[in-house]
């Protein structure tokens, strides 16, 4: 959740229980009366987009999303190879969890920018999905890495092959991310470590790969 003078912006929209957790966090920060202006997506996996449509209906927020994951937002993604297993799980989960398809207000391609917070630039990091995208803030030298890796101290790891639509692209995406001028990173899946600690973990993982 990002906040600037105009309001709040979400990086992805969460999974089961996500809206309840969001409202709890807003109350904890004293932001419950501030408008949610936008939802900025990193990719189309169900655990990141389940709550998009309900939140848009409730808040009127716009949605910016990677163009190459359009089939995910429509609820018709195609999975091949190892990721076919993930596709089966999502196919079962969408009706059970009452997923509502949606069309983004803005389609995002590599290098596109959003004039929110301190400025965000889309960095295409394919591998996890075709459209998987990180968001880079040059002012703060901070990269939101989405699912490029999971950061849990000594248990930090890259996503398992079953979750990656094009695993052959993962190495290049890690190298691309680390080529940026960075002081820290924030992954979607990780513990409450500092951005600097998450960056150190990513560099260690990349060194072992």
């Amino acid at each position: 959740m990002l906040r600037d003078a105009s309001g709040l912006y979400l990086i992805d929209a969460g999974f089961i229980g996500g809206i309840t957790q969001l409202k709890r966090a807003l109350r904890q920060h004293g932001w419950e009366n501030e408008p949610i202006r936008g939802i900025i997506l990193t990719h189309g996996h169900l655990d990141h987009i389940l709550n998009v449509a309900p939140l848009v209906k409730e808040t009127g927020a716009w949605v910016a999303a990677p163009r190459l994951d359009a089939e995910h937002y429509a609820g018709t993604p195609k999975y091949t190879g190892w990721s076919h297993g993930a596709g089966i799980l999502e196919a079962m989960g969408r009706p059970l969890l009452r997923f509502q398809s949606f069309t983004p207000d803005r389609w995002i391609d590599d290098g596109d920018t959003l004039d929110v917070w301190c400025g965000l630039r889309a960095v295409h990091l394919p591998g996890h999905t075709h459209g998987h995208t990180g968001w880079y803030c040059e002012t703060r030298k901070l990269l939101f890495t989405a699912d490029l890796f999971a950061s849990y101290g000594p248990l930090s790891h890259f996503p398992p092959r079953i979750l990656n639509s094009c695993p052959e692209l993962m190495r290049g995406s890690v190298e691309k991310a680390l080529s940026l001028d960075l002081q820290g990173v924030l992954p979607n899946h990780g513990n409450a470590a500092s951005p600097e600690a998450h960056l150190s973990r990513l560099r260690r993982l990349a060194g072992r790969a």
Side-chain angles (χ1 to χ4, degrees), residues 1-100:
M1 183 165 48
L2 308 178
R3 178 176 180 255
D4 64 18
S6 298
L8 306 174
Y9 306 88
L10 306 181
I11 304 288
D12 291 331
F15 196 38
I16 300 169
I19 293 178
T20 299
Q21 292 176 24
L22 170 62
K23 292 182 177 180
R24 182 185 302 122
L26 291 174
R27 289 193 299 270
Q28 290 172 346
H29 285 80
W31 297 349
E32 63 267 34
N33 294 320
E34 298 201 30
I36 296 177
R37 299 293 190 190
I39 301 171
I40 303 165
L41 297 182
T42 62
H43 64 293
H45 278 166
L46 191 60
D47 60 321
H48 295 253
I49 67 170
L50 177 65
N51 298 313
V52 171
L55 282 172
V56 167
K57 183 177 181 180
E58 180 177 342
T59 68
W62 49 256
V63 178
R67 186 188 307 274
L68 293 177
D69 278 1
E71 292 178 340
H72 291 264
Y73 320 137
T76 59
K78 297 179 178 64
Y79 290 90
T80 60
W82 283 85
S83 68
H84 185 65
I88 293 173
L89 293 175
E90 282 203 352
M92 293 188 296
R94 279 191 295 273
L96 287 173
L97 300 174
R98 298 182 180 179
F99 170 72
Q100 301 171 48

Side-chain angles (χ1 to χ4, degrees), residues 163-187:
L163 298 180
N164 298 327
S165 296
C166 30
E168 69 279 5
L169 300 180
M170 289 292 295
R171 178 185 293 273
S173 291
V174 171
E175 293 172 353
K176 182 178 180 179
L178 291 176
S179 72
L180 298 170
D181 184 11
L182 294 173
Q183 290 185 353
V185 301
L186 282 172

Side-chain angles (χ1 to χ4, degrees), residues 140-200:
R140 299 195 179 191
K141 299 182 180 180
L142 179 68
L143 178 66
F144 296 91
T145 55
D147 284 8
L148 186 66
F149 79 115
S151 182
Y152 295 99
L155 300 179
S156 299
H157 60 276
F158 293 122
R161 289 180 65 89
I162 191 174
L163 298 180
N164 298 327
S165 296
C166 30
E168 69 279 5
L169 300 180
M170 289 292 295
R171 178 185 293 273
S173 291
V174 171
E175 293 172 353
K176 182 178 180 179
L178 291 176
S179 72
L180 298 170
D181 184 11
L182 294 173
Q183 290 185 353
V185 301
L186 282 172
N188 277 59
H189 301 280
N191 60 17
S194 68
E196 293 80 9
H198 290 306
L199 176 57
S200 178

